[in-house]
Amino acid sequence: MRINAGFLIFAVFACQMAFAQLQTGRNFFYYERYHSAKEAFAKDAETNPEATYWLGQTMIELKDIEGAKALYQKSLTSNGNSPLILVGMGHIELLENKTSDARQRFEAAISLTKSRDIKVLNAIGRANVESRAGDNLYAIEKLNLATSIKGFKDPEVYINLGNAYRKMGDGGNAIVSYSKALSTDPKYAAARHFTGKVYLSQNNREFFIPEFEGAIAIDPAYAPSYRELYHYYYFRDVNKAIEYLEKYAANTDQTPELEYEKTSVLYAARKYQEAISQAEKIMAAKGDNYSPKYHRLLAFSYNALGDSINALKNIEIFLSRATEDILLPTDFDLLGTLQFKFPGRESQAIENIEKAIEMDTTVTKKIEYAEKVAGILDARGMLRQAADWKIKAYNFLPN
């Protein structure tokens, strides 16, 4: 049977275009440019299960869990045996705390691919690492299996493996895994970035700053490391913070989150009234669609100006609207500190500063919060309670 040469050329060209589009989306995802990634994956999601899987992962990163779920459910109705889509649906089920259902999806995908598909095993590892209900040991098992498959050379697998160890608090094995990612691909900036995240969790400045700077040296387009350096210098060196924010903005998607950071940095520069004016302008323009973070910014700015009433009002609004993933220990510390200024709210103040202590992972901050409460109580003549808090601060010392 004779096959039309023109048709063959078209088919090859179409395959090449589909692969290029998928790779474009994967590159955007790697750089955490999720809005651009979503647009790229959407172009082939109807015909390419791998693009569908990554589109769903991008939607998860953009906090659109229901959208990702609907996407995977729709794909499964027409292609119920697609291993990657099964894993994607399992990821959703982990996010919904349906651990048994998720495990069945993962095992089905492994069975369909005879435990020999690196992409599937990597996706299973990623799903478990990225979900609070995920099983880190299961993730480690499957990711290690992926590295043993002939022809393996995917540094992303080692990143997910390192993230599994990091989630378990095993910084040593996390760093070993990230090192293997860098050995697999010396240009893989994420390896140094995530090594920096390990040291950042230990508050080890001498190590995490060189790692983030090293990631940028490897790949000047790697925006996540600019973001980490911006956050680090935010309260330490506002000029450096602005420099890193500008570099971050030049290498990432122009999003409402970035717009917020450009306003927030006014607070770091101690331009409190400008921060308030700009925040209120953006909030008015967006109607009800602004981020609750603007109320946090207003609260801290008003507090810096000595306006406790407006500061308290805005931090309370922020905490009533904020999702768990954007809460910080300093939010509860500010709330508690402000409540101390209003008679009759002392017990609420102590309760909120205790939340800040519980949330914060650094010993120095825990001690700082406890000593602050002790000082406030001491100044009010509440000596027994102050002594209790001084003991609490002392007990946080590691030795």
Side-chain angles (χ1 to χ4, degrees), residues 358-379:
E358 184 179 347
M359 285 180 67
D360 210 301
T361 58
T362 60
V363 171
T364 53
K365 291 299 292 184
K366 289 178 184 288
I367 293 172
E368 179 185 318
Y369 295 143
E371 287 182 340
K372 177 166 62 177
V373 175
I376 292 171
L377 295 173
D378 194 30

Side-chain angles (χ1 to χ4, degrees), residues 25 291 354:
S291 168
E354 284 176 337

Side-chain angles (χ1 to χ4, degrees), residues 140-151:
I140 290 168
E141 176 190 336
K142 300 310 174 188
L143 292 166
N144 276 324
L145 177 60
T147 67
S148 69
I149 294 173
K150 186 178 180 180

Side-chain angles (χ1 to χ4, degrees), residues 263 273-286 290 294 297-298 302 310 313-314:
T263 306
Q273 194 58 58
E274 287 185 45
I276 291 169
S277 299
Q278 183 67 10
E280 290 178 339
K281 179 181 176 181
I282 292 171
M283 291 163 71
K286 292 184 178 294
Y290 62 84
Y294 283 102
L297 177 58
L298 288 172
Y302 276 121
N310 275 313
K313 180 181 76 173
N314 276 283

Side-chain angles (χ1 to χ4, degrees), residues 208-264:
F208 70 71
I209 289 181
E211 291 298 335
F212 292 140
E213 290 175 341
I216 294 165
I218 289 173
D219 184 353
Y222 194 73
S225 285
Y226 290 122
R227 184 186 62 235
E228 291 294 342
L229 289 166
Y230 157 67
H231 285 148
Y232 175 74
Y233 285 111
Y234 184 88
F235 285 117
R236 295 171 174 85
D237 185 334
V238 69
N239 292 324
K240 276 193 172 183
I242 291 170
E243 177 188 342
Y244 283 119
L245 178 60
E246 289 173 349
K247 290 178 179 177
Y248 174 63
N251 289 282
T252 194
D253 291 339
Q254 304 306 298
T255 63
E257 182 65 25
L258 180 58
E259 183 181 35
Y260 169 79
E261 294 298 346
K262 289 179 178 179
T263 306
S264 174

Side-chain angles (χ1 to χ4, degrees), residues 16-36:
Q16 290 174 337
M17 287 294 292
F19 176 80
Q21 192 64 45
L22 178 65
Q23 192 56 48
T24 297
R26 290 293 308 276
N27 288 340
F28 281 133
F29 193 94
Y30 168 75
Y31 288 114
E32 298 185 11
R33 298 183 60 175
Y34 298 122
H35 292 275
S36 295

